[in-house]
Amino acid sequence: MKLLIVEDEKYVAFLLEEFLKKMGINNFDIVFSFKEAINILKDKKYDIILADNGLPDGTGLELLKKVKKIDSFATVVFITGSDDSDLLIGLINNGAYAYLKKPIDYSEFEFTVNKSIEYRKLLNENIKLTKEMIKKKEIEKELKLAKEIQENILLKILPNRLNLEMYAISKPAKFVGGDFYDVINISEDEIIFVIGDVSGKGLKSSIAMVMLLSIIRTLVEKRIPLSNILYELNRNLFSSNIKMSATCFIGKLNTKTLSLKYVNAGHEYPLIFRDENIIEVENGDLLLGAVDESRFQEYEVQLLDQDYLFLYTDGISELYEDLEVLKIKIKEFLSKEQNLKNSVLNFLKWDNINNKEIILDDKTILGIKIENILSVKKEASYHLIANTHEILNLKIFLKELFSYLKLNDEDEFNLNFTINELVTNSIQHGYLNGTGIIDMSFKLISKDFLQIKIKDYGIGINKNILKNLNENIIDSAALRGRGIYICKKLTDNFQINVNEGKGTEIIFTKKISR
C-alpha cells in the first residue's frame, strides 16, 4: 500500500507523517499544494490519499474530481477543520471514502487509515478479479480467490447477544454467489443486521456483493441513518460499471425495547413467527441500482419476547408457487427445535429434498430468535473467531450478562479481567495469532455460583507453564503464566485441561454476590 499526504500546513503534514510511522507505515510521499498533488498523481499511483480539504490553491471537491479522473478507484480521506455537514456529505457523495476532523486524534486516525487500507485491499482484489479472466487456469484461480474473499467477508459466527439467538447460512448456486448478510454490534443496546441479493449468479455477482457489503460496514461505523445507507448503495451500484441491481433489507434492533427500525429495497418480506401467527414485515421501496437518486423510507415494527425473525433471499422462495406452503413449513421446523441453528439446517435439508436438490439461485437465511436464554435454561453460550478485534463484541455480551446477573462491582471486575485474560491468551498463544474458534459457556449451577468454560482448539498450553502456577511466579523473571495464576486466584475451582496440539479447556466457577 502506498499513501500520499496532501497538506499545506507543514506541522500538520509532519504530524501525519509521525502517525503513519507509528503505525508501521513508511511507504508514503508528502506534497504541500493542490498543484503538486495533481502533478505527482500523473506520474505515480497511490492506493490511499490523505488530503487537506482547505488547500490554498484548490478546494477538496476540486481535488477529488481531479483525482477521480486520474484514478477512478482512488481511496481519498479528507482532513478538515470544517463542521459544514453539507460540505462533508458532498465529499462523501462525490466519492471520498471518509473524513477526519482537526485537531486530529491518533486513535481515530489509526482506525480510519486501517479501515481505508482494508477497503482498498478488497477493492484491489475486485479489480484483479475483473481483469484476469482470459485463460481457463487463470479463471479457476480467480474463482478460488473470489470464493475465499466471499467466505472471509461473510461472518462465520454472528456476534452473540444475551437475549438473541442468531444464525445465518449462505449457499451459492455456483462456485461463488451474490447473496450477502451481516450482523454488526453498534452499541450496547443496538445491533444492525442486513441481508441482500445481487442480481445474477457467479463471479460478477460476488464482486458486487463484496463492494456493497464493504460500503455497508463503512457507513454503519459512521452511524449513517439506514435510509441514507441504502441511498449510498443505490448510488454506487447505479453509477458503477457492473450494471447490476440488488435487493437489500437492513434493520436496526434495539435489544432492550425490541423495537426494529428497517428499510427494505425490493427484498423478500421478512417473516415474524409469533405464537401461532405468521406476520410479514411489509413496506419497502425499489430495488438498488434500478433508478438513480432513489430515496428510501424507514419503517418501524415492534418485536416481542419469543418472536422468531426469519429473513431469506429469493433462492428459497422462487421454487414455491404458493408461499403459504413455504411459511407453514418454516414455522414447523422452527417449532420442532429449540436450537435456531438446527431449525434452519433441518429446513434447508427438507427444502433440498423437496425440490430434488435443484439449485437455481443462491440460498441465504438469517434467523433471529428473541429469548433470554440464561433466564430460560440457566445457561448461555458465546462463540467467537480467534481475533483480538472480536474482544469488543465479547465485552458487550459480558456487560449484558453481568447486568442480568446483577453482580457487584468487584465480582464484575474480577470476571471481566479473568475472561479477557484467558480469551486473549487463547488468541495469541493457542492459535499463535492465526484463525480459529473459541467456544464459551456460562452456567448458573446455583443462585450463588456461575460456572464458565473457555475452550479453544489450538496448540494447547505448554504444560511446563502449569507446573509453576504458584505465588513465586509473580516475582520470577518468567513472563508466561502470570496471567493464568492471577485468574486462578480470582476464581474458584480453577481447572485446565490440555490436549496438546488439539486445544485447551479451562473451567472455573465463581461465587457471585448480587
Side-chain angles (χ1 to χ4, degrees):
M1 286 283 160
K2 190 165 186 178
L3 286 78
L4 175 66
I5 297 172
V6 186
E7 173 59 67
D8 63 303
E9 296 180 57
K10 292 190 176 181
Y11 76 94
V12 177
F14 294 144
L15 176 66
L16 299 179
E17 179 181 5
E18 290 302 312
F19 280 178
L20 289 176
K21 288 180 178 178
K22 187 176 179 181
M23 293 172 65
I25 299 172
N26 296 295
N27 190 13
F28 60 86
D29 293 324
I30 302 175
V31 295
F32 301 98
S33 71
F34 180 103
K35 186 176 180 181
E36 284 181 278
I38 299 305
N39 288 336
I40 199 170
L41 284 167
K42 289 177 181 177
D43 297 325
K44 294 183 180 181
K45 187 174 180 63
Y46 294 89
D47 296 292
I48 296 169
I49 300 167
L50 305 173
D52 190 346
N53 181 49
L55 297 168
D57 55 341
T59 67
L61 188 56
E62 289 170 341
L63 177 63
L64 182 61
K65 289 179 178 178
K66 288 278 188 182
V67 168
K68 289 295 184 179
K69 281 186 179 179
I70 297 170
D71 178 8
S72 61
F73 296 105
T75 302
V76 184
V77 176
F78 278 103
I79 298 158
T80 178
S82 173
D83 289 318
D84 186 342
S85 59
D86 291 337
L87 171 66
L88 299 176
I89 291 171
L91 291 172
I92 296 297
N93 287 343
N94 280 277
Y97 174 74
Y99 59 84
L100 288 164
K101 287 190 176 181
K102 296 179 181 178
I104 304 167
D105 175 72
Y106 173 74
S107 60
E108 186 178 356
F109 176 88
E110 181 186 35
F111 176 85
T112 302
V113 170
N114 280 331
K115 286 295 178 182
S116 301
I117 291 171
E118 289 177 13
Y119 172 75
R120 186 65 205 214
K121 284 180 179 178
L122 283 171
L123 194 57
N124 287 345
E125 293 293 349
N126 290 342
I127 296 167
K128 187 177 178 182
L129 287 173
T130 58
K131 288 181 177 179
E132 298 181 4
M133 292 189 295
I134 302 170
K135 297 178 182 178
K136 184 178 178 180
K137 285 186 179 180
E138 290 176 338
I139 294 173
E140 289 173 352
K141 288 179 181 178
E142 296 305 330
L143 283 171
K144 185 178 180 181
L145 178 59
K147 185 175 178 64
E148 289 174 357
I149 292 171
Q150 189 169 54
E151 288 177 347
N152 287 333
I153 202 168
L154 291 176
L155 297 176
K156 295 180 179 68
I157 295 178
L158 303 184
N160 300 42
R161 299 299 288 259
L162 187 62
N163 65 332
L164 300 178
E165 183 183 0
M166 297 181 283
Y167 181 71
I169 187 169
S170 187
K171 297 289 185 183
K174 294 186 175 181
F175 199 67
V176 289
D179 283 5
F180 58 92
Y181 65 85
D182 206 359
V183 177
I184 306 168
N185 274 324
I186 58 170
S187 72
E188 294 171 6
D189 300 337
E190 291 180 316
I191 64 165
I192 281 183
F193 58 87
V194 62
I195 187 169
D197 178 7
V198 178
S199 60
K201 296 175 283 294
L203 182 61
K204 193 175 178 182
S205 296
S206 76
I207 295 170
M209 177 275 263
V210 171
M211 179 188 77
L212 293 177
L213 201 49
S214 300
I215 294 170
I216 289 169
R217 289 176 178 174
T218 299
L219 296 179
V220 166
E221 285 168 357
K222 294 180 181 300
R223 300 295 193 268
I224 303 296
L226 300 183
S227 56
N228 289 1
I229 290 175
L230 290 199
Y231 171 82
E232 289 300 323
L233 291 182
N234 181 73
R235 187 182 64 82
N236 277 271
L237 198 56
F238 187 86
S239 61
S240 73
N241 294 324
I242 298 174
K243 302 302 179 188
M244 302 184 79
S245 60
T247 68
C248 182
F249 180 99
I250 184 167
K252 179 164 67 174
L253 176 63
N254 186 303
T255 58
K256 289 203 165 85
T257 67
L258 301 183
S259 169
L260 171 63
K261 296 178 180 179
Y262 67 92
V263 181
N264 189 344
H267 196 76
E268 302 286 318
Y269 290 155
L271 303 175
I272 298 172
F273 294 88
R274 179 178 298 161
D275 300 325
E276 297 301 317
N277 300 313
I278 303 172
I279 305 166
E280 284 189 324
V281 182
E282 298 180 338
N283 299 317
D285 297 294
L286 284 175
L287 75 169
L288 304 173
V291 179
D292 192 16
E293 298 296 323
S294 283
R295 299 290 174 176
F296 301 89
Q297 186 173 345
E298 183 178 290
Y299 300 93
E300 187 170 2
V301 64
Q302 182 64 43
L303 301 181
L304 303 177
D305 188 39
Q306 302 301 313
D307 276 355
Y308 284 90
L309 185 60
F310 193 91
L311 302 99
Y312 58 96
T313 58
D314 62 4
I316 297 292
S317 59
E318 66 183 3
L319 295 176
Y320 297 87
E321 292 183 7
D322 185 357
L323 286 183
E324 292 305 313
V325 174
L326 175 62
K327 294 176 186 177
I328 292 168
K329 208 64 190 179
I330 294 171
K331 182 181 177 183
E332 180 184 322
F333 280 96
L334 290 176
S335 61
K336 278 182 181 177
E337 293 273 2
Q338 289 188 334
N339 181 284
L340 177 64
K341 178 180 177 180
N342 291 342
S343 297
V344 171
L345 292 177
N346 286 335
F347 165 75
L348 277 178
K349 184 178 178 181
W350 170 85
D351 179 71
N352 286 336
I353 294 171
N354 185 62
N355 292 300
K356 300 181 175 58
E357 300 192 2
I358 299 170
I359 302 179
L360 300 177
D361 199 357
D362 307 330
K363 294 183 177 183
T364 299
I365 293 173
L366 170 60
I368 300 175
K369 181 182 180 182
I370 300 173
E371 177 183 59
N372 189 322
I373 196 71
L374 195 64
S375 67
V376 176
K377 298 181 179 179
K378 303 303 179 187
E379 60 182 303
S381 60
Y382 191 91
H383 314 279
L384 73 158
I385 302 292
N387 186 311
T388 51
H389 296 299
E390 292 297 316
I391 295 293
L392 179 60
N393 286 329
L394 174 59
K395 286 181 177 178
I396 291 174
F397 175 82
L398 292 177
K399 186 159 188 177
E400 286 183 327
L401 175 67
F402 298 152
S403 175
Y404 172 77
L405 294 174
K406 298 178 181 177
L407 300 187
N408 63 34
D409 291 343
E410 182 180 359
D411 284 344
E412 183 171 340
F413 175 85
N414 290 341
L415 281 171
N416 262 318
F417 175 88
T418 301
I419 293 168
N420 279 283
E421 173 68 23
L422 296 176
V423 169
T424 302
N425 210 40
S426 287
I427 293 171
Q428 295 179 343
H429 304 297
Y431 290 107
L432 299 178
N433 286 314
T435 57
I437 303 294
I438 298 174
D439 292 329
M440 306 175 64
S441 67
F442 305 83
K443 184 176 183 179
L444 281 169
I445 55 178
S446 73
K447 67 175 184 176
D448 297 323
F449 280 92
L450 178 67
Q451 182 189 72
I452 299 174
K453 295 181 183 179
I454 301 173
K455 182 175 178 60
D456 68 56
Y457 306 89
I459 61 174
I461 294 176
N462 188 326
K463 290 185 176 179
N464 290 326
I465 294 173
L466 303 182
K467 294 177 182 177
N468 301 312
L469 290 183
N470 54 58
E471 60 273 10
N472 295 327
I473 198 171
I474 298 297
D475 299 319
S476 73
L479 295 176
R480 298 290 301 276
R482 289 183 185 177
I484 296 176
Y485 173 74
I486 294 172
C487 293
K488 186 176 180 181
K489 295 295 289 183
L490 292 176
T491 59
D492 308 294
N493 301 323
F494 192 93
Q495 301 174 33
I496 300 179
N497 303 314
V498 180
N499 189 349
E500 287 191 29
K502 294 184 178 179
T504 301
E505 181 181 55
I506 298 176
I507 305 172
F508 60 90
T509 56
K510 174 67 180 172
K511 186 174 183 181
I512 53 178
S513 302
R514 311 191 222 185

